Amino acid sequence: LRPEQSLGFPRAPMHRHAVRGVSQALLRAQSRLWTSTIPRLASQTKFPVPEKSSRSFATTSDSINTAKSINELAKLLPSSLGASGTKEKDTIVRLLLNIGSHKEVRQYLKHFANVDTIQFAVIKIGGGVLEDSLSTLVSSLIFLQRVGLFPIVIHGGGPQMNAELDQAGIPAEYTDGLRVTSPEVLAIAQRIFQRENLKLVDALEQAGARARPVTSVFESQPLDPKKYGLVGQVTKINSEPIASCVLSGCVPVLSSLGVTPGGQVLNINADVAALELAKEIRPLKIIFLNTTAGMKDDRGQVMSTINLEEEYDYLMQQPWVKYGLRLKIKEMKGCLDVLPLSSSVSVTSPEHLQEELFNTQRSGTHVFKGEKINAYDTFDQVDQVQLKALIEKAFGRPLVDDYFTTTAPRLHKIYLSKSFRAVAVLTMEQGVPYLDKFAVTEQAKGDGLSDALWSRITKDNPQLFWRSRNNNQVNPWYFQKASGHIQNAPWTVFWYGIEGIDKIQKVVSAAIALPVTMRPPSVHTPPVVTPTPTLVPQSKFRIGLLGARGHVGGHLTRLISQHPYLELACVASSTQAGTSVQGTLPFAPSHLKFEDITPDNIASYTENNHIDAWFLALPDAIAPPYVASLVSVKKYPVLVDLSSDHRFDSNWTYGVTEVNREKLRGAKKIANPGCYATGMFLTMAPLVRGGSHGPVVEGPPSFFGISGYSGAGTKASPRNDPNNLHGNILPYKLIHHTHEKEVSHQLGFPIHFTPHVGEFFQGITLTGSMKLRRPFTRDELVAKYQSFYKDEPLIKVVSGIPEVKSNANKHTVSIGGFEMDASSRHLVTVTTLDNLLKGAATQAMQNLNVALGMEELLGIQQELGN
């Protein structure tokens, strides 16, 4: 079992061979768990409610103390939770009170409502937790199973072992953090592990969950018999017992015992066993639960973060990092070294498990691979070109031309990550360090660099203040980091470590008086929300959706739900009119019911319900009657048509956002491009429109495309039948495909295109073959594309060959390959994108945002770290 990506259970149909490299047992578990077990758990599971955490929070105004607040928050939960209705929802909200503040609970519930995959979490439980916090632990594990984060539990038994060894008169002996295990010690370990395992399983069962003790997972060999005795090292993970649990909807509870091929039982350190398991199954989360709520330093304080790249060598040299702590950190590094950069290990307590999993405010120790963060005193010590590019990419706007020269005299420190993915620029104002720029790329945020950079800043600077636009979406994170703040339009000024009213007033005044250092967006830069409060929508735009029950409609519903200025006001379905939308689309508001919208009543409905925009996610040839009926509406809504009906109509704006952005501003009729067409148009635009001497392409290019079967829609057909597609690629519409005509028309340059359907669910790969007017080197081609798309966050230009799996479930397009035969001037490109996202829903949201004058990535940017 060595999958190439995290195991997950897509709610959309998933073929059992869709994740290459994963054992067939776990794939069978994936395909069956969502369709049978999870719905049953959703209606049967009961939740014991732990006592509220004693943890204090910044303000009492945010706390949830009344039944009214509980009922209000319960409405955010999807109606699909089961038959127990309001009572069950209230129970879940009460469980979330461990998180503390009203704002945090809302954020948690939003995440809960948006879960669209079932993922694994490897959770290592210390023996002390089983003794002291069993009830809270059980509540948290059941909740995780309920929301689709399927726990794989492995437990220890250290305190129990020490107690029984003491009773037996056997001294506890450790070497290098490992328990030396004699045959007598092993016999006690087997008895204790069995007892503690069954205790946890019984507690889960009594609480209404299903659980199963699991053995024979860890095949092992003796580590060093002379030194450690019967201590094992893991050589192989047997996934079949885990898969059997998953298939049955049971929480697998593992003990840290291994068995040699010859049948000898060996004692394995529980931390080591959990991390070896994580290496194999690559879970979404790795959590260590202990009684101290983290890993402590030499002062007895919980370390909030450990950036292994920057701190590992230092920690290994410290005299207080010894025994079990030393082993734990060493093994965590070994695990994270082979996992994706975004992986991490969280060490916390059961009381704070939910907030550790779903909140930005960490409660324990967050261990991540990270990277070096270097400190500089002057701009001359860094590459200013790369630094400028990083800041402008993160802010989505260009710096003023004289930023470096005017800032240099006041410069205090530059903190810059080795990869140029994160930077903080500090100046000195009023004798206090001022955070002038804090810029982190989207990917780096997911990799933990934001916290690592902040940790370095706070370590070196006991006092700090900074300002942020009132509508900056990073502000919730800043609120957590600051000890105080004050709003003075258009700025919010934050600080920490500064005391005294006079001092605070001085730094606030200094922050507000500083000049603006970012220019308005350039022509090529994606638009951002204008920070002037009068231009921010005073109320939400009301959105209608025709065709919500298709794959694209579901994604649109999710994007609308996380948009700060859009409200889903109408969802149409003639066959389900009057029924709850949330039963079909879990991201929809709970009060919304399907409406029977027809060409005859859409105009009156639009006016009576103040609909500002319609997404038309309908099959081809269905939308025109609806559009025709809207002519009579006094306040004409924005229309975004995702079908092909209006892509050849000059009265409609063609919605390739990155190329037609200026035409889209204020547009009322937008023809959203097709999925294949989006990839081909974006591939050809730099070669056809990117030069002053006309196209550099000689003759029509040819594109060979393969799409996932979700592109064939939800209506049953041979092109979306997994059985028909198994081990198969299905060509269709060999000439004159509508996307071939679409791109040729909109680009003003002919192309050829042959589509195919593959056995994967979503994603597109397009291989383009063409002849250029002159030879180019790979570097020249990459530079040409990078220049054309230099300010486009959703377009990735890569020198290698992009793969479908790298872009599936993402909002971006990757263009690469760039292989050229200089003698024949033959160029081959490869482009990948997700047909349901950038090929449909994502681009539709971009287009609507631009048309309504809002920041282009609203509703999307929350997911760009994936």
Side-chain angles (χ1 to χ4, degrees), residues 146-340:
R146 181 62 173 282
V147 301
L149 189 56
F150 207 87
I152 298 177
V153 175
I154 181 166
H155 68 84
Q160 296 90 332
M161 281 284 296
N162 289 338
E164 292 217 15
L165 288 172
D166 185 60
Q167 288 181 358
I170 302 174
E173 183 181 355
Y174 294 89
T175 300
D176 301 331
L178 297 172
R179 185 187 296 275
V180 177
T181 305
S182 65
E184 294 79 13
V185 172
L186 181 61
I188 294 174
Q190 289 181 269
R191 184 172 66 253
I192 288 175
F193 283 145
Q194 182 183 50
R195 184 188 70 206
E196 297 301 310
N197 189 294
L198 292 176
K199 181 171 74 173
L200 178 54
V201 169
D202 290 344
L204 286 165
E205 294 274 354
Q206 290 171 12
R210 299 183 63 196
R212 183 186 296 175
V214 176
T215 58
S216 303
V217 169
F218 302 106
E219 185 174 312
S220 57
Q221 293 287 354
L223 181 59
D224 186 341
K226 292 183 179 180
K227 189 175 184 180
Y228 306 109
L230 296 172
V231 172
Q233 58 181 347
V234 178
T235 57
K236 182 181 179 181
I237 301 292
N238 177 17
S239 65
E240 291 293 335
I242 299 175
S244 177
C245 283
V246 173
L247 284 168
S248 301
C250 298
V251 175
V253 181
L254 287 64
S255 296
S256 55
L257 290 173
V259 181
T260 68
Q264 172 64 56
V265 176
L266 296 173
N267 183 23
I268 301 175
N269 178 275
D271 293 345
V272 174
L275 293 167
E276 289 295 329
L277 183 64
K279 289 179 187 178
E280 291 295 307
I281 69 173
R282 299 188 174 220
L284 181 67
K285 296 287 184 179
I286 307 172
I287 307 291
F288 279 43
L289 297 180
N290 61 21
T291 56
T292 59
M295 295 193 291
K296 293 186 176 181
D297 59 18
D298 56 329
R299 299 167 299 167
Q301 302 295 315
V302 171
M303 297 178 282
S304 60
T305 61
I306 297 178
N307 178 348
L308 291 171
E309 181 67 26
E310 185 157 283
E311 301 177 66
Y312 179 76
D313 291 339
Y314 167 80
L315 288 172
M316 290 296 103
Q317 295 170 6
Q318 301 309 301
W320 53 271
V321 179
K322 54 186 178 180
Y323 309 137
L325 177 60
R326 186 179 187 85
L327 175 67
K328 197 186 304 284
I329 295 175
K330 179 181 177 182
E331 293 295 327
M332 287 179 177
K333 183 179 187 301
C335 177
L336 294 177
D337 279 346
V338 301
L339 292 179

